Structure formats: C-alpha cells, structure tokens
Amino acid sequence: MANVVVIGAQWGDEGKGKITDLLSRSADVVVRYQGGVNAGHTIVVDQKVLKLHLIPSGILYPETICLIGSGTVVDPKVMLKEISMLIENGIDIRGLQLASTAHVTMPYHRLLDQAMEQRRGAQKIGTTGRGIGPTYADKSQRNGIRVIDLLDEKSLRERIKGPLTEKNELLQKIYEIDPLDPESVIKEYLGYGSLLAPHVVECTRTIHNAAKNKKNILFEGAQGTLLDLDHGTYPYVTSSNPVSGGACIGAGVGPTLIDRVIGVAKAYTTRVGEGPFPTELSGKINDLLCDRGGEFGTTTGRRRRCGWFDGVIGKYAVEVNGLDSLAITKLDVLDELEEIKVCIAYELGGKRIDHFPSSAEDFAKCKPIFETLPGWKCSTAACRRLEDLPSTAMNYLRFLAELMEVPIAIVSLGASRDQTIVVEDPIHGPKRALLKS
C-alpha cells in the first residue's frame, strides 16, 4: 500500500493528467484536492483526446473511486458537461464522488473575475476568468455556497441571500454590469444539485475508510508549485495551494498518511499568463517547442510561453513539496535540437544565486546562467525502455536528476499511455528509480 501525491513542479501544464492517469491503474482512490475549472488536463486513450477540468483522470479506470475533494471549488455546470462527455465516450462514471463541503463557483464569481481582471489593465494577472479567485475569496470570508447547499432549497435561499445582494451591488455600481436575478440563480443551481446528488459524499469519511482498508490513494494537485498562493510567484499565482501540503488540507488528511510525493516536470519549461519567466525563449526555438509540444492551454486555448528547463525553480519545487521522485514529460519535444540549455543558477544584481527569490521584483530581474548539453537529433517517440534512449538523452536525464537531487521514476515521450518509460511505479513498484549519476 502507498498513498502518493502527484504535483506539478513548474508553473502547471507539465502533463500531470497523463501521469495521474498512468498511476491510477495502481490506485484504488484518486483525490483531486484543490483548484477548480481553471485547471485542465488532456488525456489520450485509444487515440481519443479527452479534456478534463474537474474530474480526476482516474475516472478512466472503472474500479477506481474518483473523489473531488473539499479543497476544490466546483462549477457544477462544467462538471455536468464533463460527465456528459465521459458518458458519450463510453466511460463508466459510477466511481465519481464529490465532496459535500466543496465550495461552488456561482455565476457572480465568473462575472466579477472577468470584470476585475479587465479593470487591472496593465497589471493584469492573467486569470482564466472562470471565477476561481472570487470563489476562494468568499470561502475565506465565510460567505460561500457549498455543494451541500445545492441539495436543499431552504438552505440555498438562506445562504445566497446576502452574497447575491452584495455581488449585485458590485456588478451594478462598480463594474456597470446587469445584476443577476435571484430566483433564476436559485432555480438553476438547485437543478444542478439534483443532478449531482447521486455523486455527493462526505469527503473525509470516504478517504479514511479507504486508508483503514489499506487501499492505495493517489492525491492529484492542479496547476503547479510556482502558482501556489503562498509559495509561488505572487501575485501571478492561483488562489489555492497546489503544493503537496495542500493535499492534507484539501482532502482532510494528516501528513502521516502521505507516503510519497512525485513531481511532474517538462523536459523544458512553460508558463501561461503573466509574470516573470527567466528562461523564456523567443524566435525559432520557442516556436519549435510550442508547435512540437502542442503548447496551448487546455482551459483557455492560450499559447504558452516556452523556455529552457529551469533548475532553480526545480530545486525549489523539490524543497517545498518534499519530492522523492520525478516524472519528466515531453522529452521527445527536444528531439530535433542540436543543443539544449539548462538553467543552473541566476545572476541578480551582479551576483550569482542558486535559490528562488521571494521578491517578485527580484525574480523579474534574474538572468539565467545556463549549462549547454548536446542534443540527440533523433526520434525518441518509440522508446519504451531506458536502454532504447540515445546516450545523449540519457545524459540529459541524468543531468536533470543530479541538478534536482531527486531520482527520475517516469519518462514520458508523447501523449499516449504507451509512450512512457516507467522506471518505477511510485505506488507499489520496486524502488529502482533512475538515480543521479
């Protein structure tokens, strides 16, 4: 038995969906512990492309319980669309469960998110406009609507009266947006509650019963370490805690229940939205990485910013998450390059630093210090064992493992499930991960 947390070790979009899907075959329960529909992951199964935002990718295994935990914020309209999409693709959703205490993204949250981002102008954060920040804000202000409220008309009417009155005033007087009709909102969301009711459970009871019965539990984070509200590149962050510690809060478990933490990182780095990005590229190499990597956001469709692998933020992710292994994704995207650069430190104010600065202003001034490695100039897409990889590709992986001081357990070489080298299954495989040289 092993309880494992899967987190993004960069700015999100690292390919966690595929890795979670891969590990879910060994898991009995998969728990999504934070974020909302601002996250997205794409899974390719039997040449079918499935895009999910809320539902854990473990849903593709019919015997696996997939729980959307209390730390998530749920847009029921989007969730129901995902359910319909999965059913249309012949996916069994009987294992899907939703925490009764998860907070609900309401229509006023989306309107305010978009209006506030527009008002920021040049200081915009780059949010998805899906209402996630305002939903978490209401949660913190103890003014939110939870899934359990959608199951009872009296409760919903009582809970929504104050927030909706306040939000309508904001919409009208500050942002000049037409107010929402309370009765229409109540009717719409009671309807969502009725449809979701068969999936609603008590989150902590489900998880702790599984733990007592020695089940394998996989905790899935959304976004990535550098988007963490407390430990990321603030203010260009998300509104929750994607780091591994967030799993304890969002799922309602103690840290002693966690056995392992695996970080997912691309063989290069990407970022979507605003904020500093020291290794960011432009020109032909940027276009090559973007085109070969399909670097367009699952949620927004926005083109991602691409750059070389950043070992400084990588080591930071190891520290704040307690990573004990890595999954390196999209190694194949680098196949055509003659040489590959890796950031091993920064220059700040004329001095070399090898740590992630807490000041956003300092981070924006950091210049990357690179080490250049030879490329392999051949396709790795068909490799299924480490022995199949070109020696220069193996050397690149060893360099990353040594730089990060963490072994590599999984190497992904494409979008499909079979385009993967599993050196070690972090849930119940033998400990034989690719160690640093």
Side-chain angles (χ1 to χ4, degrees), residues 112-121 124-127 274:
L112 287 170
D113 193 4
Q114 295 160 16
M116 288 188 291
E117 180 74 345
Q118 185 176 9
R119 183 67 65 92
R120 291 185 185 107
K124 65 180 180 178
I125 295 170
T127 76
E274 307 300 318

Side-chain angles (χ1 to χ4, degrees), residues 292-325:
R292 283 183 56 82
E295 297 299 351
F296 298 90
T298 304
T299 298
T300 63
R302 288 182 291 185
R303 185 183 176 96
R304 295 179 186 133
R305 301 155 65 190
C306 296
W308 297 118
F309 189 93
D310 190 329
V312 179
I313 67 169
K315 288 185 285 186
Y316 177 72
V318 170
E319 294 172 350
V320 298
N321 292 293
L323 300 184
D324 58 22
S325 62

Side-chain angles (χ1 to χ4, degrees), residues 267-268 288-289 292-293 308 330-340 374-383 389-390 392-393 396 411-414 419:
Y268 49 102
L288 181 144
L289 294 178
R292 283 183 56 82
W308 297 118
K330 297 197 175 184
L331 184 68
D332 58 301
V333 174
L334 306 179
D335 285 351
E336 296 183 2
L337 297 175
E338 290 188 9
E339 61 179 32
I340 302 165
W376 41 94
K377 292 291 290 181
C378 63
S379 176
T380 59
C383 297
L389 290 171
T392 43
Y396 182 70
V411 181
S412 175
L413 301 151
Q419 292 179 296

Side-chain angles (χ1 to χ4, degrees), residues 121 134 137 175 243 248 258 266 285 310 345 429:
Y175 299 108
V243 296
C248 296
I258 307 300
K266 281 177 183 165
I285 298 179
D310 190 329

Side-chain angles (χ1 to χ4, degrees), residues 96-331:
L96 178 61
Q97 298 185 359
L98 170 62
S100 60
T101 48
H103 278 248
V104 177
T105 296
M106 302 297 289
Y108 46 78
H109 291 136
R110 291 191 297 273
L111 291 171
L112 287 170
D113 193 4
Q114 295 160 16
M116 288 188 291
E117 180 74 345
Q118 185 176 9
R119 183 67 65 92
R120 291 185 185 107
Q123 283 74 47
K124 65 180 180 178
I125 295 170
T127 76
T128 60
R130 302 301 174 92
I132 308 305
T135 308
Y136 275 114
D138 273 3
K139 176 181 179 178
S140 296
Q141 292 172 351
R142 299 168 294 261
N143 208 21
I145 306 298
R146 301 190 298 175
V147 169
I148 197 169
D149 296 319
L150 304 187
L151 307 183
D152 180 80
E153 182 175 352
K154 181 180 178 182
S155 174
L156 181 59
R157 286 186 178 278
E158 290 176 353
R159 294 291 306 162
I160 205 172
K161 183 178 180 181
L164 188 50
T165 300
E166 175 190 299
K167 300 303 189 293
N168 271 340
E169 286 190 28
L170 281 172
L171 291 171
Q172 283 183 287
K173 296 179 180 179
I174 304 298
Y175 299 108
E176 298 179 345
I177 296 173
D178 291 339
L180 296 166
D181 175 56
E183 287 303 316
S184 297
V185 173
I186 290 169
K187 182 179 178 181
E188 180 182 359
Y189 279 75
L190 284 174
Y192 295 150
S194 176
L195 293 171
L196 291 173
H199 301 284
V200 177
V201 299
E202 293 183 15
C203 176
T204 55
R205 179 177 293 184
T206 296
I207 295 172
H208 288 284
N209 282 343
K212 286 178 183 178
N213 289 308
K214 308 298 182 184
K215 302 295 186 181
N216 294 319
I217 306 173
L218 185 65
F219 298 90
E220 175 188 14
Q223 289 101 19
T225 299
L226 275 297
L227 290 180
D228 188 273
L229 181 60
D230 293 297
H231 306 290
T233 50
Y234 192 89
Y236 303 102
V237 294
T238 192
S239 303
S240 58
N241 295 106
V243 296
S244 60
C248 296
I249 298 169
V253 301
T256 54
L257 189 70
I258 307 300
D259 298 304
R260 301 194 63 183
V261 184
I262 180 169
V264 185
K266 281 177 183 165
Y268 49 102
T269 309
T270 63
R271 178 166 197 175
V272 69
E274 307 300 318
F277 185 1
T279 68
E280 185 171 9
L281 289 161
S282 60
K284 291 182 179 179
I285 298 179
N286 172 74
D287 293 341
L288 181 144
L289 294 178
C290 188
D291 294 339
R292 283 183 56 82
E295 297 299 351
F296 298 90
T298 304
T299 298
T300 63
R302 288 182 291 185
R303 185 183 176 96
R304 295 179 186 133
R305 301 155 65 190
C306 296
W308 297 118
F309 189 93
D310 190 329
V312 179
I313 67 169
K315 288 185 285 186
Y316 177 72
V318 170
E319 294 172 350
V320 298
N321 292 293
L323 300 184
D324 58 22
S325 62
L326 287 168
I328 299 296
T329 63
K330 297 197 175 184
L331 184 68

